[in-house]
């Protein structure tokens, strides 16, 4: 008997997405089933090009269909389309599918470094990515991305973001003179965050990563009120002080009804370049323990590697400049884990429980 599309779909119901906990047929991932005699071809459209289990799902789908009697060959094409947010009349980012804030409790944990490398890893996977540098007091993204001397242009009354490595960027650093300090209080910070969101022509993006200033001040609160955040990623280091303040940052965002997508531990272990031995230099609370403490997923650890800092000073993400080092593998795996949590959050779409009016920035 000839192989039918119904047989193919029934076989593919055995393949389950481990993050969304449903089979790929029910999730409507299976597209364009074509059958010619014993030859079967179809595509599987995932929720992110950075899916960490893409290869595993491809193999499972191939094997499930190959086991059907009468099938001689199976051609599986893996594609991706990032899930879109529900539209809102007051949405400042209507063409951005998912907006993710990268936060930390204290400075010096490498939050901006993590941001640029996650963005580079996502872009490398095929996603359309942007970075909004919302650290109005210490914008560092232009320097880390090697575009500190660039100045954005305007088009149709919108600011055109600077682009490099396939990543669109906007930062207050592009608009300030060298050495110019920002001395603003709450209302000015809130106004600037709004302009960086609404006055920039981001175009269509799969992911916009927002690099926040450290702490729990006006910029993080304003962003939580104004931006359609999918969730927040907390960056910490294995220091008890860093972990303690990171926990407070997580508590702030939860109070503002922002989902915590997970915890990233930066500068976790030092990998000896000569012997490959691993040394944990800091004895504080590990990121995995912090994640358990605040009840959020642990997205992974980034080893302490001198090339990360060197690459940032040279204006290039280390995941691109040193792709064969352990840190590059870590950033790539973490970007996939983060993208998976974004898909889970987008699928669940929790309702708001706290009004933004309760958390207006402090006035002068």
């Amino acid at each position: 008997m000839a192989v039918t599309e119904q047989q193919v779909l029934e076989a593919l119901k055995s393949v389950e997405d481990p993050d969304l906990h449903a089979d790929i047929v029910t999730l409507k991932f299976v597209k364009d089933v074509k059958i010619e005699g014993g030859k079967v071809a179809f595509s599987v459209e995932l929720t992110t090009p950075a899916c960490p289990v893409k290869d595993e799902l491809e193999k499972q789908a191939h094997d499930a269909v190959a086991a059907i009697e009468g099938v001689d060959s199976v051609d599986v094409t893996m594609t991706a389309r990032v899930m879109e947010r529900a539209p809102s009349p007051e949405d400042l980012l209507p063409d951005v599918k998912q907006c993710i804030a990268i936060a930390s409790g204290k400075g010096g944990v490498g939050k901006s470094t993590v941001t640029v490398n996650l963005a580079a890893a996502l872009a490398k996977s095929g996603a359309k990515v942007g970075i909004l540098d919302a650290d109005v007091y210490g914008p560092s993204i232009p320097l880390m991305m090697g575009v500190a001397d660039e100045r954005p242009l305007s088009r149709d009354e919108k600011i055109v973001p600077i682009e490099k490595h396939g990543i669109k960027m906007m930062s207050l650093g592009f608009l300030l003179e060298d050495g110019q300090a920002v001395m603003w209080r709450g209302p000015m910070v809130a106004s600037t965050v709004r302009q960086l969101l609404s006055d920039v022509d981001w175009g269509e993006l799969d992911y916009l990563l927002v690099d926040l200033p450290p702490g729990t001040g006006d910029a993080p609160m304003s962003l939580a009120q104004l931006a359609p955040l999918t969730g927040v990623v907390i960056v910490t280091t294995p220091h008890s002080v860093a972990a303690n303040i990171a926990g407070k940052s997580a508590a702030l965002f939860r109070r503002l009804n922002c989902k915590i997508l997970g915890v990233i531990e930066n500068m976790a272990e030092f990998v000896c370049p000569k012997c490959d031995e691993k040394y944990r230099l800091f004895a504080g609370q590990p990121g995995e323990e912090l994640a358990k403490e605040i009840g959020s997923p642990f997205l992974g650890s980034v080893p302490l590697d001198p090339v990360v800092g060197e690459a940032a000073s040279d204006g290039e993400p280390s995941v691109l400049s040193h792709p064969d080092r352990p840190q590059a593998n870590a950033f790539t795996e973490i970007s996939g884990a983060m993208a998976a949590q974004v898909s889970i959050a987008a699928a669940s779409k929790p309702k708001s429980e706290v009004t933004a009016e309760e958390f207006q920035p402090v006035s002068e």
Side-chain angles (χ1 to χ4, degrees):
M1 294 179 63
V3 178
T4 66
E5 181 175 341
Q6 185 61 33
Q7 285 179 294
V8 172
L9 295 177
E10 284 297 325
L12 290 173
K13 285 183 179 180
S14 65
V15 181
E16 183 175 294
D17 185 298
D19 298 313
L20 300 180
H21 305 295
D23 67 83
I24 61 175
V25 176
T26 300
L27 292 170
K28 298 182 179 180
F29 288 179
V30 181
K31 310 286 185 181
D32 305 321
V33 178
K34 296 178 181 178
I35 303 171
E36 295 181 2
K39 297 180 180 179
V40 179
F42 58 91
S43 61
V44 177
E45 185 180 74
L46 303 176
T47 59
T48 174
C51 178
V53 293
K54 178 172 64 176
D55 293 340
E56 180 182 341
L57 290 176
E58 180 179 4
K59 183 179 186 304
Q60 289 180 13
H62 176 280
D63 292 349
V65 176
I68 299 173
E69 185 178 354
V71 172
D72 300 321
S73 66
V74 180
D75 182 12
V76 185
T77 301
M78 303 299 289
T79 64
R81 182 171 63 88
V82 175
M83 299 175 69
E84 298 182 22
R85 295 178 288 105
S88 167
E90 299 179 357
D91 198 333
L92 298 180
L93 299 168
D95 296 322
V96 176
K97 293 180 179 178
Q98 302 296 336
C99 184
I100 307 154
I102 311 296
S104 67
K106 65 184 293 294
V109 300
K111 172 181 50 58
S112 297
T113 300
V114 169
T115 300
V116 299
N117 280 286
L118 291 180
L122 288 171
K124 191 176 180 181
S125 75
K128 297 177 181 177
V129 185
I131 298 176
L132 170 59
D133 188 354
D135 191 345
V136 295
Y137 297 113
S140 57
I141 297 299
L143 180 63
M144 290 184 171
M145 292 294 285
V147 289
D149 296 329
E150 299 284 341
R151 294 293 178 266
L153 302 175
S154 62
R155 179 177 59 215
D156 299 328
E157 299 183 352
K158 289 275 191 176
I159 300 172
V160 180
I162 303 297
E163 188 167 350
K164 189 175 180 182
H165 302 306
I167 302 168
K168 294 181 179 180
M169 293 165 280
M170 187 57 207
S171 169
L172 188 63
F174 292 134
L175 309 177
L176 298 175
E177 298 296 329
D178 289 341
Q180 182 179 351
V182 173
M183 295 182 289
W184 293 341
R185 294 190 179 183
M188 285 291 289
V189 173
S191 175
T192 300
V193 170
R194 173 180 282 276
Q195 286 185 292
L196 289 174
L197 289 167
S198 62
D199 292 354
V200 177
D201 182 11
W202 291 106
E204 293 186 4
L205 291 179
D206 293 321
Y207 302 102
L208 177 64
L209 304 190
V210 184
D211 182 28
L212 291 177
T216 56
D218 293 317
M221 287 197 295
S222 296
L223 186 87
Q225 297 171 50
L226 297 171
L229 289 180
T230 305
V232 181
V233 170
I234 304 295
V235 179
T236 187
T237 55
H239 295 82
S240 295
V241 173
N244 178 267
I245 303 178
K248 293 179 180 179
S249 181
L252 166 75
F253 283 107
R254 282 211 169 111
R255 188 76 178 93
L256 293 171
N257 201 40
C258 294
K259 182 178 180 60
I260 307 301
L261 297 172
V263 173
I264 297 173
E265 180 185 40
N266 192 29
M267 295 182 273
E269 296 176 328
F270 173 70
V271 182
C272 176
K274 294 184 178 180
C275 64
D276 289 331
E277 287 288 332
K278 296 180 179 180
Y279 301 92
R280 198 165 185 89
L281 302 181
F282 308 113
Q285 183 181 29
E288 191 166 8
E289 287 187 12
L290 173 64
K292 290 180 181 178
E293 187 176 290
I294 65 176
S296 295
F298 179 59
L299 301 179
S301 296
V302 181
L304 181 61
D305 190 333
V307 303
V308 177
E310 293 170 6
S313 298
D314 293 339
E316 187 171 10
S318 58
V319 73
L320 300 179
S321 62
H322 297 82
D324 298 325
R325 303 276 289 200
Q327 54 82 27
N329 293 332
F331 280 124
T332 300
E333 291 177 3
I334 291 170
S335 70
M338 180 182 72
Q341 291 301 317
V342 169
S343 296
I344 294 170
S348 61
K349 298 177 183 177
K351 296 181 179 180
S352 176
E353 297 174 355
V354 181
T355 60
E357 286 75 10
E358 297 178 42
F359 296 94
Q360 292 296 333
V362 179
S363 61
E364 295 185 29

